[in-house]
Amino acid sequence: YHQNAAATDIDCLLYALSQNNPYKAQDWSSIMEYWNHVNTGLTIYPDVLPDGLPQDDTLCIVVMGYALNRDGTMRKELIGRLETALASAKKYPNAYIVCTGGGTAQDNKNRTEAGEMSKWLIEKGIDQKRIIVEDRAFSTVANAINTCQILANEYPLVTHLAIVTSDYHLARSCLLFHAQATLSASKGAPLLCVAANAAYPTSRSGSESIEIQADNL
């Protein structure tokens, strides 16, 4: 609610931080600038990633999970995200694809969001070697932390991330991945750029609240 009015306070706090730790201030200046961007200037691309992304394996498509049905089957919204990811994976056939999300099926603990997503993509013809499964996360925050860690440890040549999720979920997802990538890079991990997005269009309007974004950040 106070986003625009808070600009002066943000600048003062960043200046104070710079006097104590200029490197940390640089990281948080980037995060705060990007946070403003996702809520005021983020272009959302429906159904498929935009043109102009790397055509090699430096690109990684990150597909955000969604809670499973009680029996472990996927809900319509998760399938919609996967259809958007599939179109994007065909457009960028050399990109890696991260399926992220833990076990949320109340009656089937053996199934995870990421596992079911991976199986769906393989059934649709995606080479299993392209797919990275992150199946421990139970929140968007953990999605970002775990995915950045896996990429840093096992896929250090990846430089560009493309986030695929529902339209209303994009701003928060992009923000958290940018923040985690920035903070990880300050500790020596390869720098990852959140370069693009593709959205599964839903009937929900707008993005999630600034309050939720702030809580997660």
Side-chain angles (χ1 to χ4, degrees), residues 12 18 24 46-47 49 66 88 118 152 157 163 173 185 198:
C12 289
S18 71
K24 187 173 288 187
D47 302 319
L49 289 172
Y66 190 83
S88 299
S118 173
L157 294 182
I163 309 299
S173 297

Side-chain angles (χ1 to χ4, degrees), residues 68 70-72 103-112:
L68 300 171
R70 292 183 65 99
D71 62 356
T104 53
Q106 296 181 38
D107 298 335
N108 192 335
K109 300 303 182 183
N110 295 322
R111 292 189 177 185
T112 65

Side-chain angles (χ1 to χ4, degrees), residues 9 24-25 72 90 108 121 124 129 172 188 194 204 210:
D9 289 340
K24 187 173 288 187
K90 290 179 176 178
N108 192 335
L121 288 170
K124 298 298 182 182
K129 295 179 181 179
R172 180 161 62 101
V194 179
R204 295 176 60 170
I210 299 291

Side-chain angles (χ1 to χ4, degrees), residues 18-35:
S18 71
Q19 303 306 295
N20 177 266
N21 188 326
Y23 297 105
K24 187 173 288 187
Q26 185 176 4
D27 290 341
W28 280 96
S29 292
S30 171
I31 292 168
M32 297 306 292
E33 182 179 351
Y34 190 81
W35 190 3

Side-chain angles (χ1 to χ4, degrees), residues 4-148:
N4 293 329
T8 300
D9 289 340
I10 291 168
D11 289 342
C12 289
L13 288 165
L14 288 172
Y15 176 77
L17 182 59
S18 71
Q19 303 306 295
N20 177 266
N21 188 326
Y23 297 105
K24 187 173 288 187
Q26 185 176 4
D27 290 341
W28 280 96
S29 292
S30 171
I31 292 168
M32 297 306 292
E33 182 179 351
Y34 190 81
W35 190 3
N36 182 65
H37 165 70
V38 297
N39 288 294
T40 60
L42 182 67
T43 300
I44 294 178
Y45 297 91
D47 302 319
V48 68
L49 289 172
D51 297 339
L53 298 178
Q55 285 288 350
D56 57 18
D57 60 2
T58 61
L59 175 64
C60 183
I61 301 167
V62 181
V63 195
M64 307 301 292
Y66 190 83
L68 300 171
N69 290 311
R70 292 183 65 99
D71 62 356
T73 56
M74 294 189 295
R75 299 173 189 258
K76 178 182 177 182
E77 185 160 337
L78 182 51
I79 294 172
R81 295 181 184 185
L82 285 170
E83 289 171 342
T84 301
L86 179 62
S88 299
K90 290 179 176 178
K91 185 172 182 177
Y92 293 97
N94 296 308
Y96 287 110
I97 306 155
V98 174
C99 298
T100 184
T104 53
Q106 296 181 38
D107 298 335
N108 192 335
K109 300 303 182 183
N110 295 322
R111 292 189 177 185
T112 65
E113 296 169 21
E116 295 305 300
M117 294 160 70
S118 173
K119 287 191 290 186
W120 188 94
L121 288 170
I122 292 169
E123 289 172 356
K124 298 298 182 182
I126 298 299
D127 188 341
Q128 186 173 356
K129 295 179 181 179
R130 297 176 60 190
I131 299 175
I132 302 165
V133 175
E134 187 292 291
D135 57 4
R136 295 182 295 113
F138 291 96
S139 68
T140 307
V141 174
N143 292 151
I145 293 171
N146 294 348
T147 298
C148 288

